[in-house]
Amino acid sequence: PHHVYNWEGRRIGIVDFPQVFMDYQPVMECTQAAYRDVRRTHGIGTWNYHPQNLVIPDVKEAIEWLAREARQGDVWCGTMGEYGDWYGQRDQLVVVCDKSGVTLNGELPAGLTLLSRQQELIVNGTTSQGRRTSTWYGRDYWVHIVPSEPVAKPQPLPKE
């Protein structure tokens, strides 16, 4: 578990994330292998680079590589506090799946996606079209981006 602190140094919570990488040698190979594994499993990764090691060329090169990959890919980056808030919110979400679609009950965290074998999916009564696929454990799934704000239902025009 990681203790999460605000900028004033007051503890604001505890989150539990696996640490997938520290700046051990060989840094580039370890960074790339850990990144590929996290992407393959749609997992979460925390990279821990020690600031005193930023003067080491291999460490700096690995961090730059990881930053480029994160910018080019569909990767969400944030502080431990932001991860904790997001996962805490996600854990409060109730998901119900049936033949008519998916119903999400609770406050929707920003950046929430659903993976489905169906390109068209009804989410909270609204049709979602998967625009791209993502491979998870060797199978392709359609990625459905869930708006964090509820989509307003069309209102009937007023009668004159």
Side-chain angles (χ1 to χ4, degrees):
H2 297 274
H3 296 272
V4 180
Y5 296 86
N6 66 11
W7 289 107
E8 289 81 37
R10 191 179 59 122
R11 190 172 73 158
I12 56 175
I14 298 176
V15 293
D16 192 14
F17 298 113
Q19 181 172 310
V20 297
F21 181 74
M22 285 186 66
D23 48 8
Y24 297 132
Q25 296 294 331
V27 177
M28 181 61 83
E29 290 83 356
C30 291
T31 297
Q32 290 172 339
Y35 179 77
R36 281 191 303 271
D37 193 47
V38 169
R39 291 283 299 185
R40 179 182 57 78
T41 61
H42 290 264
I44 181 170
T46 51
W47 273 256
N48 183 6
Y49 292 99
H50 294 90
Q52 70 271 19
N53 292 344
L54 296 177
V55 297
I56 301 170
D58 290 351
V59 172
K60 185 174 182 280
E61 182 181 317
I63 293 171
E64 289 170 348
W65 178 89
L66 184 59
R68 277 192 310 277
E69 289 297 310
R71 276 195 307 271
Q72 292 171 2
D74 189 16
V75 176
W76 179 53
C77 297
T79 66
M80 292 303 286
E82 289 167 332
Y83 283 136
D85 291 345
W86 194 91
Y87 273 90
Q89 203 175 0
R90 189 195 73 168
D91 286 344
Q92 298 300 311
L93 194 61
V94 176
V95 180
V96 178
C97 300
D98 58 31
K99 292 181 183 199
S100 64
V102 177
T103 303
L104 304 169
N105 296 301
E107 187 178 344
L108 301 176
L112 182 67
T113 58
L114 300 175
L115 298 180
S116 173
R117 300 288 289 161
Q118 300 173 10
Q119 184 175 12
E120 185 173 287
L121 185 66
I122 305 297
V123 180
N124 285 352
T126 302
T127 302
S128 171
Q129 285 291 104
R131 305 245 185 264
R132 64 180 174 83
T133 60
S134 184
T135 305
W136 189 45
Y137 288 102
R139 293 185 75 179
D140 285 338
Y141 291 86
W142 289 99
V143 177
H144 295 271
I145 299 169
V146 179
S148 54
E149 296 296 320
V151 177
K153 299 221 184 270
Q155 300 296 319
L157 293 174
K159 294 183 180 183
E160 292 182 26

